[in-house]
Structures are given as C-alpha cells and as structure tokens.
C-alpha cells in the first residue's frame, strides 16, 4: 500500500504531542509501526525509550510482529495498559503473577460475600452469574472513575448493600496481597503520584509514548499516561472518536475530544483515506455518524471506488428476516463469496438465537465470536417449563418450589414436604387461612387450564393469566432493571413455541437445539470456512466482504436502555462500527413487527430513508 500524504505527516511528526484521527480502514497500524521505525532511524531515539500501548494482548503482539517485519530492532516495549502498569508495580513492590487475581478468583470472592449477607438485605437473585457480573463491573467502574463510594449509586442492588460488598471485597483481597486488574491501574497511579523519584525514572525510560485505539481510554489510564509523558510530552495518540463504544467499561470519548485543550500545542492529523470499503458503504456510514453532535468532523475519501449500493431491506417479521437472510447468504456463496467473508451482526448476544437456529436448520456453517447463549437455559425459560410440566406431568416438588411464589402466593416451603405435591395437603396445611385457600384454588385451576393449551397459548397464559409478567416487573424493580429486558426474553421464548402444536414437540426441538449447540462448541475451532455471527461490540477491528446488520429496529439499536443524549450517540457510534466492517456489500434489515407487536425502523436510518434511493442506497420495502 502506497503511503498517503496524511500518513507521511503522522509518521514524520517530530517531538511533542500529536493526535492522529484514524477512521476505519485508514491504515493506522502502518502509521504506528512506521513512526516507531522513524523515531529510531531518523530521530535517533533509543528503542528502549519507546513505549507502544494497545488495549489488547493480541493487538500488542500484532504490532510487535509488524514492527519487527519492517525494522527488526529489539528493545521497543509493546504492551497493554495493564501489562505496562503491572511492570511498573513489579519493579516497585516485587509483585509476581501469583499476586494477580483471575476473573474466577474475583467471582469466587464476590459469591462468598453475597452468601454471607443476611437474607433480607438483597432480593433473591434468579441468575447469580448475572448479578456477580453486574457487581464486578460496578466495582471496576468505581475504581477506574475514582468515584467516592459515598457518592456512587449502584445499578444492581441497594446502595448500602453495594457499599458493604465493595468494602469487604477490598479488605479481603488486599489482605491476601492480591491485585485485581483494576488495582494495577489504581496502585500505579498512587505509586507515581506519591513517589516522584519513581515517576521520574519511568519518565526518563519512556520518553516517547504511542497509544493505539485512544478513543477507548478511561480516566485513570489517561491520568497515569499524562504523568508518564511529562515533561517532554512526546505523546502520540491514534484513534477514532467515532468508534468509541465502551462507555459501559469506563471509556470516555470526551478525553479524545478534549485532547487539544489538554495539549494546545498538539498537531492534529486526519488519515482521510479509507482503504477498506467501497464508496457507497463509506458515504452511508458518514451520513449516519454525521448526526452525532460531539465528534471531530471528518471528510473521508474512498480509495477503492464505486461498488454495490447499501441494501436497506424492510421485512414483515423476524421469521421472514431469518429466512431472507438464509436466502441472501446462499446466493452469495453460490456467487463465490467464501462463508468466512460473510458476517451477521446484531446488537446483543441474545439477539443471535433466532439467526443461529435458522442457520442450523439449513446446515449453513457458522461460528460465534462470543459464546452463543441458549435462551432455553435462562431462568425465565426454566420457570415457564416448570409451569408446563406441572400442568401436564404432575406436581413434582422441585418444580413446584421453583414457581409456587412466582407470582407471590405466600406458600411456605414447610408446607411442601412430599416428593409429589398435593393441593389437598396444601389446603389442609392452610385450612385456618381462607385467603391462602383462595390462592391455592386459583393455582390448581390455572394449571388445569394450562394443561389443555398449545405451547404458544400456554406461555401467553402463564404471562398474563397466571401473572408471571407481573412477577417479573417486581423482580426487575428490585434489581434496578428495566422490565422490558425480561419481557423481551419472554417474547422470544413465546415466539419459539409458536410452530409447535404440543409441548412434547416443542421440548424435543429444544433438546435437539441444545445438542447442536453443544456439538458446535466442540467443533467451532475446526469450522474453517464459516459465517461469522457477532455482536456489534465483538465485530470491532474485523472486516468482511459482505455484512448483514439485522434487527435494526428502534429499541434494539439504539437499545431501549439508551435514554440520555450521550447514550444515543454511543449507540450511533456502535451502528457506525457495524456499517464500516463491510468491504464490498452491506445489508441492513429491519422488521415491521417484533413478537407480534408493531416495530419501527431505527432512528439511525432516518438520515438514509429520508433521502430515498440514490447512488449509494437501495431501499426495498414490503
């Protein structure tokens, strides 16, 4: 690839700070590796004085390999923030890898702390793994944002409970001499802030600092970076504010947007050529991201020239969407596009289910970038199955205990002691409480009604007739979730039941699906030529000849959780990342209905839809 004028300017930047705005497919890796070579060969900087920071271990390894291929000189430090900062801590405190807590260690400790809480302090978590994950993420956020614990309001549990867990978590693992990944940042910041001699030593060691994917930086990382870069401030940052998509991890696009305020002398260079995508993809993506207010304005030129128009497709329902997807993929494969050059991208991991099922049905090979969740193993699905089993197969005690108070009926565990539950025994136990007898009678009647229904009608009756949806609303409130997060799962479970006339047929399909998933997990590394299924987050950094963006409906993308302007702008950046994965062909699908309810196309499509068909867009409506 011939080096452009903008790339040459970036590579040959002299001393002092610089910001390189590097959009999708602009050749930023080449710029970083060639600049590193330039520092050594042209500015005569010692390799040991150069630090190149990336956000993933794989990116650091790739950067090192690319540099060695063009230069071959040892001594330059390539590493992630955590690896570099842990190296600083090792020199100061003689830490070893044995002092690092794994994620399993972290979850194990949090689980122990939860189990020690008095039962009344926290509503029963139906999915412990989900709660642990939420707590771990919030602890990480408090540390990285350096938020005062007294001023932090938890999203997953009451404030007093979160603060108690946080303090105990810190006390226990620090007493054991252990560091979690966030401590590597916290302790490095504290060390360098308190020990000027140590800070000065590292400032002299790393006189030139280059940072890749700068848009993903968080506040604590930036503060440490600024200290290390002083006093020379040879800080060379490369990134794209339009691809900042990790606010939930603490990344702050504002840091990059304010970089020239922090460093007024910084040179700003725009890599204005996209070597990846054809013109229609670039034009459409720029129109979408141009709707964001808080960004650097960029004029990006295509290098590859014209290509197929973006295919913007309206479909009637999700069933039609999955069938149409299969039809398009089959056609592309027949035309010679390798399956490995085709990607299906969706907003959340849970959204993969219907598409994975359909690809399995047609024996199309695919691989998931992340583990494919089985919705039928979710605790909500298990509750639904328990009700259906109780209605048809008798009152098994374990399943009865599972749902007897979902919704709340105030039935105590002490009243259910036999392997098979009897409503007559229950009535005898509560014979002096007439209000309880009414509840028991109603449950028995509900199960009799449920026994005569098809799976689809049965799920609907459990939701609305029995009151399970009301229970989920109360549960969501106790966990500080949006009820829609849980009702969406119910919608998908109910939709999955629709094709089946009997529960036996539906359960047989679920078991077959479970087995296929298990087989796929075992064989996915040997897939070879396979379609990629990935979330929009998981697709970052990848590229494919043909990309399908599916379920581009309001409430999905942008996600219904996105309420504030900053949230909407992040969701638009996420959509932009998805669009710019496409090299040749880009398809965008939205549906007129989801789970039997009217659905609207995403607001992100407005800028495309209002202009109608043009040279970069092909709109197809039912």
């Amino acid at each position: 690839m011939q080096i452009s004028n903008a790339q040459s300017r970036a590579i040959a930047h002299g001393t002092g700070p610089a910001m390189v705005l590097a959009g999708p497919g602009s050749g930023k890796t080449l710029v970083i590796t060639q600049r590193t070579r330039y520092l050594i060969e042209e500015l005569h900087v010692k390799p040991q004085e150069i630090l190149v920071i990336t956000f993933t271990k794989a990116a650091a390894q790739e950067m090192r390999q690319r540099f060695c291929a063009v230069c071959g000189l040892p001594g330059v430090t390539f590493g992630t923030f955590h690896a570099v900062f842990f190296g600083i801590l090792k020199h100061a405190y003689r830490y070893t890898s044995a002092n690092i807590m794994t994620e399993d260690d972290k979850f194990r400790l949090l689980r122990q702390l939860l189990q020690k809480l008095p039962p009344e302090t926290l509503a029963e978590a139906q999915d412990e793994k989900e709660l642990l994950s939420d707590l771990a993420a919030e602890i990480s956020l408090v540390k990285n944002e350096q938020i005062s614990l007294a001023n932090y309001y938890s999203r997953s549990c009451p404030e007093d409970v979160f603060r108690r867990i946080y303090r105990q978590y810190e006390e226990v693992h620090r007493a054991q001499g252990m560091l979690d990944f966030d401590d590597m940042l916290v302790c490095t910041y504290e060390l360098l802030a308190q020990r000027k001699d140590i800070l000065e030593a590292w400032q002299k060691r790393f006189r030139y600092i280059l940072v890749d994917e700068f848009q993903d930086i968080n506040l604590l990382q930036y503060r440490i970076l600024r200290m290390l870069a002083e006093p020379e401030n040879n800080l060379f940052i490369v990134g794209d504010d339009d691809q900042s998509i990790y606010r939930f991890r603490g990344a702050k696009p504002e840091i990059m947007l304010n970089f020239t305020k922090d460093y007024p002398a910084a040179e700003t260079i725009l890599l204005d050529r996209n070597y990846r995508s054809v013109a229609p993809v670039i034009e459409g993506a720029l129109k979408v991201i141009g709707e964001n207010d808080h960004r650097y304005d960029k004029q990006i030129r295509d290098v590859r020239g014209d290509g197929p128009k973006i295919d913007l497709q309206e479909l009637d329902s999700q069933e039609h969407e999955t069938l149409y997807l299969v039809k398009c993929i089959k056609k592309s494969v027949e035309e010679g596009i390798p399956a490995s050059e085709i990607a299906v991208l969706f907003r959340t991991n849970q959204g993969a289910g219907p598409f994975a099922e359909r690809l399995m049905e047609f024996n199309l090979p695919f691989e998931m970038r992340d583990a494919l969740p089985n919705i039928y193993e979710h605790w909500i699905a298990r509750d639904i199955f328990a009700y259906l089993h109780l209605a048809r197969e008798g009152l098994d005690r374990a399943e009865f205990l599972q749902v007897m108070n979902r919704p709340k009926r105030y039935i105590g565990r002490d009243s259910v002691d036999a392997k098979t539950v009897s409503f007559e025994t229950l009535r005898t136990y509560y014979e002096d409480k007439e209000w309880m007898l009414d509840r028991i009678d109603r449950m028995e009647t509900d199960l009799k009604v449920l026994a005569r229904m098809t799976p689809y009608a049965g799920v609907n009756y459990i939701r609305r007739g029995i009151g399970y949806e009301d229970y989920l609303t109360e549960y969501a409130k106790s966990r500080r979730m949006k009820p829609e997060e849980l009702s969406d799962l119910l919608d998908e479970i109910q939709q999955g039941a629709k094709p089946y006339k009997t529960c036996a047929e539906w359960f047989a399909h679920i078991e077959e699906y479970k087995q296929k998933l298990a087989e796929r997990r075992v064989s996915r590394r040997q897939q070879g030529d396979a379609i990629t299924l990935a979330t929009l987050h998981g697709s970052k950094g990848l590229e494919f000849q043909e990309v399908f963006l599916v379920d581009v409906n309001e409430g999905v993308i942008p996600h219904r959780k996105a309420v504030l302007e900053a949230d909407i702008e992040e969701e638009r950046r996420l959509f932009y990342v998805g669009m710019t994965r496409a090299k040749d062909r880009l398809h965008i699908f939205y549906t007129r209905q989801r789970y039997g309810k009217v659905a609207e196309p995403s607001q992100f499509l407005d800028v495309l839809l209002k202009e109608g068909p043009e040279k970069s867009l092909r709109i197809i409506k039912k």
Side-chain angles (χ1 to χ4, degrees), residues 192-205:
L192 298 182
Q194 294 164 11
R195 291 288 303 273
K196 299 301 180 186
D197 56 330
I198 293 176
L199 174 59
E200 286 176 10
W202 286 104
Q203 288 169 339
K204 290 174 182 175
R205 166 70 192 278

Side-chain angles (χ1 to χ4, degrees), residues 18 58 62 77 112 156 167 177 209 233 239 256 291 329 339 520 596:
E62 181 191 356
T77 300
Q112 291 169 0
S156 56
R167 291 190 186 102
I209 302 175
N233 290 326
M256 188 165 192
E291 295 293 293
I329 289 175
R520 189 163 295 280

Side-chain angles (χ1 to χ4, degrees), residues 395-421:
L395 304 183
D396 174 77
R397 181 175 183 269
E399 290 186 315
F400 190 86
L401 287 170
Q402 185 177 330
V403 297
M404 67 184 185
N405 287 313
R406 301 179 188 177
K408 196 71 177 173
R409 298 184 180 93
Y410 301 97
I411 300 173
R413 294 180 70 91
D414 293 344
S415 66
V416 185
D417 54 7
K419 188 175 181 180
T420 301
V421 179

Side-chain angles (χ1 to χ4, degrees), residues 144-375:
N144 282 286
E145 294 286 303
Q146 296 183 296
I147 301 170
S148 165
L149 193 57
N151 297 329
Y152 181 74
Y153 295 91
S154 174
R155 298 188 301 265
S156 56
C157 62
E159 278 73 49
D160 59 328
V161 176
F162 177 78
R163 288 166 190 161
R164 183 190 305 186
I165 292 171
Y166 182 95
R167 291 190 186 102
Q168 290 177 346
Y169 170 79
E170 287 292 278
E171 288 170 9
V172 172
H173 85 267
R174 291 291 183 97
Q176 295 171 345
M178 302 296 286
L179 299 173
D180 66 20
F181 284 99
D182 304 305
D183 292 330
M184 293 182 197
L185 308 187
V186 174
C187 294
T188 302
Y189 177 76
E190 291 172 350
L191 172 69
L192 298 182
Q194 294 164 11
R195 291 288 303 273
K196 299 301 180 186
D197 56 330
I198 293 176
L199 174 59
E200 286 176 10
W202 286 104
Q203 288 169 339
K204 290 174 182 175
R205 166 70 192 278
F206 296 132
R207 293 181 52 234
Y208 289 81
I209 302 175
L210 296 82
V211 186
D212 187 23
E213 302 284 9
F214 188 79
Q215 74 278 351
D216 295 334
I217 200 166
N218 69 34
L219 189 60
L220 192 52
Q221 290 166 338
Y222 186 51
R223 285 175 174 169
I224 299 170
L225 201 60
R226 293 197 70 182
M227 285 195 289
L228 285 174
E230 290 176 344
E232 296 182 76
N233 290 326
N234 293 320
L235 186 55
F236 184 88
I237 68 163
V238 182
D240 181 9
D241 55 299
D242 288 332
Q243 294 187 77
S244 180
I245 57 174
Y246 295 116
R247 280 179 71 237
F248 66 95
R249 291 183 188 166
K252 287 191 169 294
E254 300 88 345
I255 295 173
M256 188 165 192
L257 291 172
N258 293 325
F259 186 78
T260 52
K261 292 179 183 177
D262 293 334
Y263 295 96
E267 181 180 9
T268 300
I269 303 162
L270 170 65
L271 302 187
D272 60 351
R273 293 185 182 182
N274 183 312
Y275 296 90
R276 174 188 298 161
S277 304
V278 293
V281 172
I282 298 169
E283 290 169 18
L286 286 175
K287 281 177 185 169
V288 169
I289 199 62
E291 295 293 293
N292 272 5
D293 292 326
H294 302 97
R295 62 183 292 266
Y296 289 112
D297 187 37
K298 308 174 190 72
Q299 298 300 318
I300 306 296
R301 293 183 294 162
D302 65 90
V303 173
R304 295 183 55 211
D306 204 9
K309 295 180 180 181
I310 296 173
D311 172 27
L312 183 56
Q313 178 81 46
E314 178 189 85
L315 295 147
D316 185 54
S317 66
Q318 287 170 292
E319 183 181 6
H320 291 123
E321 183 182 31
T322 55
L323 285 169
Y324 185 68
L325 175 75
V326 166
K327 179 182 175 183
C328 290
I329 289 175
K330 281 187 164 185
K331 184 171 181 287
S332 295
V333 172
E334 287 169 4
E335 290 173 354
I337 296 180
S340 59
E341 283 290 335
I342 299 172
V344 182
L345 309 182
F346 30 82
R347 174 60 182 83
T348 65
N349 218 24
Q350 200 65 57
F355 300 97
E357 278 198 72
R358 191 67 78 183
L359 292 175
M360 285 185 201
E361 182 184 335
F362 283 86
N363 292 316
L364 289 169
F366 69 89
E367 63 177 13
M368 280 286 297
R369 289 283 296 173
D370 305 293
L372 179 60
N374 183 354
I375 192 172

Side-chain angles (χ1 to χ4, degrees), residues 86 89-90 93-101 177-179 184:
F86 186 63
L89 294 176
K90 281 170 67 176
Y93 300 122
R94 299 294 184 263
Y95 282 128
T96 69
S97 58
N99 296 104
I100 300 175
M101 288 180 73
M178 302 296 286
L179 299 173
M184 293 182 197

